[in-house]
Every structure is written in structure tokens, then in C-alpha cells.
Amino acid sequence: MSIALRKPLPRLLAVLVLFAAMLVTSVVTATEARADGCYSWSRTLSEGASGEDVRQLQIRVAGYPAYGGHIIPDGAFGPATKAAVQRFQAAYGLGQDGIAGSATFSKIYALQDDDCTPIHFTYAELDDGCGGSGWDGGPLSAAQTKANALQTMWQLEAMRHALGDRALNVTSGFRSIPCNNSVGGASNSQHLYGRAADLVGSHSLCTLAQRARYHGFGGIIGPGAAGHNDHTHLDIRTSNYWSAPNCGI
Ligand code: ZN
């Protein structure tokens, strides 16, 4: 009897150990898949660092410059990048040391999809504004255009969060040259470069225009500007052209 009782116990233990191992494996895989599907940082980044990992960080915090400022993703971690990281950390309740370590990267991983877009925006929303798809047909390469759209979305994500995490709806993003012509867009429209988004949303158009000044949008055109009484246009040009006369801008 004693042998018969003893035998099932190791088997039960083995099953339990196996089950625990499977649980751990699945959790680890899920975490890595989320980060790996897009981009993973492998070192802590602070002022003075440089490289592609810094540039990837700068794209994610491009929506956190000072009022009227701009973050240029150049791969060099300078004072402006440090301040942007601090503002990002403040926005999400993290310690504001301006150093991108595990806490900051974990928040970024939580905020991004596997294609590197922020969770509340998609490439599909930003691509061809005439209902087509893809990133070709503009003055830049498709890859450059798509990269511009990605940064635009990260800046929109920052603004969305600052405005209480309520929806921002993009009605027009990238436009190919024929598309831009067909909608009467300016010949030098930022939409051609993937750098622009026309917004409507759960906020007033003036709230969108006013708030955009804090999130790196160099182009802000809204109510009171010709053709902009039914949306607020934002773009990520790096010199400021702001015009929304009905909003005091
Ligand atoms: Zn526009």
C-alpha cells in the first residue's frame, strides 16, 4: 500500500512543475513578443548617449518638447531629449530622472503596437487620404514618408494623453500628389510628406489647436484660417507656423 501511495506523488509533482514552467514560459514569451514585435532597447540611455536606440527613443518622446519646441530624432541624447524624457515620465507618473531605463521602456512597450505605432493610432489612419493605401506617390520615398507618419502619431499620442485620453480622429493624413491635387491641397502641403494630420475629435477644434503647441507641432492651422473651420490641421514641421485666429493663435 505504501508503495502504491508513494508512486503517484512524484508524477503529480512533475505535472505541477511542468505546469509552472509552461506558465512562466508563456508570460515571458508574451512580454518579449510585445517588445520584439517592434523594437527593444538593450541598455539604459541618458544624456551623452548616441545611436539608433537613442533615435528610436526620440521618436517616442517627440511629443514632449517644451511649448513651441521640437525634438529632432538625430540619435544624439542631449539636454532637450533629457527634458522630453522627463516630461514623458511625468505624464505617466514615473520618476522624473530623464534617464530612459526599464521603467521608461516598459511604459513605451505598453504604449506601442507590434508595428511601432502608438496604441491609439494606426498606419491605416494616416496613409493615403484619398482612400488608397500605401506611402508612395509623394515627393519623398515611401519609407521616409511612413517614418514621418510614425513620428506624427507619437506626437498625437502625447497630445491625446495630455487631453485626458479621449479620442482624436484623423480625417486626413498622408496624401499622394494626385490625392493632394484632388482635394485642393497646397502644392507644398505637409500632407505630401506624411508629416500632417487633420483632426476632429471629442475636443473643440480650438482645444486641439491650443494644446498642439505643447507637443512639437510646428504647423497648426485651425478655426479662422481659410479652409480650416471644420478641422484642425497639425504637422510636425520644425519651424512654427501657427494660425487659428478664432482660437487666439
Ligand atoms: Zn491638413
Side-chain angles (χ1 to χ4, degrees):
M1 279 302 283
S2 64
I3 291 167
L5 271 174
R6 219 178 288 142
K7 266 194 170 175
L9 198 60
R11 260 187 235 138
L12 180 64
L13 270 174
V15 167
L16 281 173
V17 167
L18 183 64
F19 184 62
M22 283 168 69
L23 258 180
V24 169
T25 305
S26 66
V27 167
V28 169
T29 305
T31 306
E32 286 179 350
R34 181 168 191 105
D36 286 347
C38 167
Y39 184 85
S40 297
W41 285 268
S42 57
R43 59 173 181 156
T44 294
L45 298 175
S46 57
E47 197 170 351
S50 63
E52 173 63 14
D53 48 3
V54 172
R55 198 182 71 85
Q56 291 288 336
L57 172 66
Q58 289 169 320
I59 293 166
R60 306 308 191 279
V61 299
Y64 292 92
Y67 173 96
H70 307 281
I71 301 298
I72 313 291
D74 60 1
F77 197 130
T81 300
K82 179 181 179 184
V85 170
Q86 286 174 311
R87 289 187 196 93
F88 174 87
Q89 291 169 331
Y92 288 102
L94 307 175
Q96 298 162 48
D97 59 5
I99 297 169
S102 58
T104 298
F105 293 137
S106 291
K107 178 48 73 175
I108 291 174
Y109 294 146
L111 285 173
Q112 70 185 3
D113 290 321
D114 280 351
D115 64 359
C116 285
T117 59
I119 49 177
H120 298 106
F121 298 91
T122 65
Y123 279 123
E125 277 177 278
L126 268 284
D127 77 6
D128 198 316
C130 292
S133 61
W135 303 95
D136 49 4
L140 303 178
S141 72
Q144 285 175 303
T145 303
K146 188 178 181 183
N148 286 340
L150 180 65
Q151 185 179 332
T152 302
M153 284 187 268
W154 278 101
Q155 293 184 211
L156 290 173
E157 184 73 29
M159 177 167 146
R160 186 187 187 282
H161 183 57
L163 286 172
D165 288 313
R166 286 156 60 193
L168 302 182
N169 301 313
V170 179
T171 57
S172 185
F174 166 62
R175 298 176 194 149
S176 65
I177 293 168
C179 170
N180 192 56
N181 290 340
S182 75
V183 300
S187 62
N188 62 348
S189 171
Q190 294 291 316
H191 288 280
L192 292 165
Y193 301 88
R195 287 196 284 254
D198 291 342
L199 291 186
V200 298
S202 48
H203 307 278
S204 76
L205 298 181
C206 281
T207 295
L208 298 173
Q210 287 157 351
R211 187 66 218 177
R213 299 173 296 180
Y214 294 86
H215 299 287
F217 292 101
I220 302 173
I221 310 174
H228 288 78
N229 286 329
D230 61 355
H231 67 280
T232 291
H233 164 105
L234 303 181
D235 67 66
I236 64 168
R237 75 182 83 177
T238 55
S239 58
N240 291 339
Y241 177 83
W242 296 349
S243 176
N246 293 358
C247 312
I249 294 173

